[in-house]
Amino acid sequence: MTATLTWTLVALAALIAFGLYLSWTAGRLDRLHSRIDAARAALDAQLLRRASVTQELATSGVLDPAASIVLYEAAHAARQAEEEQREVSESALTQALRAVFGEAQQVEVVREAPGGEEAARELTEAVRRVPMARRFHNDAVGAARRLREHRKVRWFRLAGHAPFPLAFEMDDEPPNALVDRAA
């Protein structure tokens, strides 16, 4: 009788410990999903800021008409893009920025205009923050994916109904003239 009671208590303790472990893992996964949501919100804010600063600069009259049109259309497309096309449109904005600000003389033209120094500074900050925000988001996505790949998470459905996290892949390399100026 004593041996049976002892084994029952050991099994119960093991079951409770395993349940606590699963609960801790589910909580960790929930925190990772919250981190992804916060990182995505920060990324969206930085992308919106970059597009807004670009549109403002394009409509300021500082740039030549062709550059203004290229930047305005790319920024407008990035701001209006549906979620499925967001990565492509943001990459197109990055490419437009590199095309217009590929050389330092274009940045100097902006800086020499009234209010241009502030506009150049804002654009430089905006294009430098996007890669950082994207990296934070993708790091959080990677951590959640690695945890969700464990058997215990799949077998016990610890992720619940949360969608599988997706990385945000885009071309985010800033124009050399803006990066060199900020350094």
Side-chain angles (χ1 to χ4, degrees):
M1 176 81 173
T2 307
T4 305
L5 184 60
T6 303
W7 283 111
T8 304
L9 290 176
V10 168
L12 185 60
L15 190 61
I16 290 172
F18 186 67
L20 288 173
Y21 176 70
L22 288 179
S23 176
W24 175 81
T25 303
R28 180 173 168 225
L29 190 57
D30 186 52
R31 287 188 301 276
L32 283 171
H33 282 187
S34 295
R35 188 171 133 207
I36 290 171
D37 291 342
R40 181 58 189 244
L43 176 61
D44 287 343
Q46 292 305 321
L47 292 172
L48 180 62
R49 181 172 184 253
R50 181 180 74 154
S52 298
V53 169
T54 302
Q55 269 187 323
E56 187 176 311
L57 185 61
T59 58
S60 67
V62 173
L63 301 170
D64 64 270
S68 293
I69 290 171
V70 167
L71 286 180
Y72 182 83
E73 287 181 353
H76 181 71
R79 289 183 74 177
Q80 300 299 319
E82 295 293 326
E83 194 60 36
E84 302 82 33
Q85 295 298 317
R86 186 93 188 267
E87 294 170 350
V88 173
S89 63
E90 293 294 347
S91 293
L93 176 55
T94 300
Q95 292 165 1
L97 285 166
R98 275 200 312 260
V100 171
F101 295 107
E103 298 179 13
Q105 68 193 72
Q106 188 70 1
V107 177
E108 292 304 318
V109 167
V110 171
R111 288 180 61 213
E112 291 169 1
E117 185 66 37
E118 178 70 19
R121 185 185 59 73
E122 283 185 35
L123 184 61
T124 300
E125 288 177 6
V127 298
R128 289 185 70 189
R129 288 180 179 173
V130 167
M132 288 187 294
R134 189 175 76 84
R135 192 173 317 118
F136 288 140
H137 175 268
N138 288 350
D139 286 349
V141 166
R145 281 181 166 186
R146 283 188 297 278
L147 184 58
R148 286 181 72 150
E149 288 172 358
H150 290 151
R151 275 187 235 130
K152 67 179 176 274
V153 173
R154 290 191 319 252
W155 288 351
F156 293 101
R157 301 180 192 272
L158 299 180
H161 297 289
F164 194 74
L166 299 174
F168 194 86
E169 297 299 334
M170 63 172 273
D171 177 6
D172 62 0
E173 184 179 336
N176 288 334
L178 291 175
V179 173
D180 293 342
R181 184 185 170 290

